[in-house]
Amino acid sequence: QVQLVESGGGLVQAGGSLRLSCAASGRSFSRNSMGWFRQAPGKEREFVATISWTGVTTSYADSMKGRFTISRDNGKNTVYLQMNSLIPEDTAVYLCAASSKISRTAVSTHEYDYWGQGTQVTVSS
C-alpha cells in the first residue's frame, strides 16, 4: 500500500511559481513510477508529468513542457512538481499518483493505482 498526500497549492499571480510536494508512505514507494495530473471544473483529468522510480527519466505534457519540472527524493519519500510561468489556464486541482506495477514513466490515468487527495492551484490574471 502507498498513501500519498499533496501540499503546496495556493493562489498565485500569472507568471509566478509554486512548488507542489507529494509525501508518500509505504515501503514500496522508491520503486513506484510517479505522476502528476490535474483536473479543472468541467474537464477530464489530464496528464501533467511523470518520473520513473529511479528519477532518471521524466516526461511532460506538451503544454507544461519547459515550465514544469518533476523530481523525486526517494530518501525523503517525496515527489515534487516545480511550476513556473504559471497562467490562468493552469488553475486546477493537482493530484499525485503512484503505480504499484510500473517503474518506467507512465502518462495514462489507468496505469496508476494510488492517488492523493489533490491540492488546489489557482492562478489569477
Side-chain angles (χ1 to χ4, degrees), residues 20-21 23-24 27 34 39 46 50 52 58 73 75 81 103 116:
L20 306 183
S21 298
R27 299 187 68 182
M34 302 291 296
Q39 189 164 21
E46 67 173 333
T50 180
S52 63
T58 60
D73 186 337
L81 183 68
S103 59

Side-chain angles (χ1 to χ4, degrees), residues 16-110:
S17 299
L18 285 174
R19 189 179 76 160
L20 306 183
S21 298
C22 174
S25 62
R27 299 187 68 182
S28 63
F29 169 77
S30 63
R31 295 191 181 274
N32 291 330
S33 293
M34 302 291 296
W36 285 97
F37 292 77
R38 69 185 186 185
Q39 189 164 21
K43 295 185 177 181
E44 295 184 351
R45 188 170 298 178
E46 67 173 333
F47 166 73
V48 174
T50 180
I51 186 168
S52 63
W53 74 270
T54 64
V56 174
T57 305
T58 60
S59 184
Y60 301 89
D62 288 342
S63 62
M64 274 67 84
K65 195 173 301 181
R67 299 190 298 122
F68 292 5
T69 302
I70 187 172
S71 61
R72 68 190 298 166
D73 186 337
N74 291 340
K76 296 182 178 180
N77 292 335
T78 302
V79 177
Y80 304 96
L81 183 68
Q82 178 67 46
M83 305 186 294
N84 299 324
S85 301
L86 287 163
I87 58 177
E89 289 75 16
D90 293 322
T91 296
V93 173
Y94 284 72
L95 303 106
C96 177
S99 173
S100 63
K101 300 180 179 179
I102 300 174
S103 59
R104 57 165 172 79
T105 56
V107 302
S108 299
T109 57
H110 70 267

Side-chain angles (χ1 to χ4, degrees), residues 108-121:
S108 299
T109 57
H110 70 267
E111 296 179 288
Y112 295 90
D113 43 16
Y114 298 102
W115 295 85
Q117 84 288 348
T119 184
Q120 177 70 46
V121 172

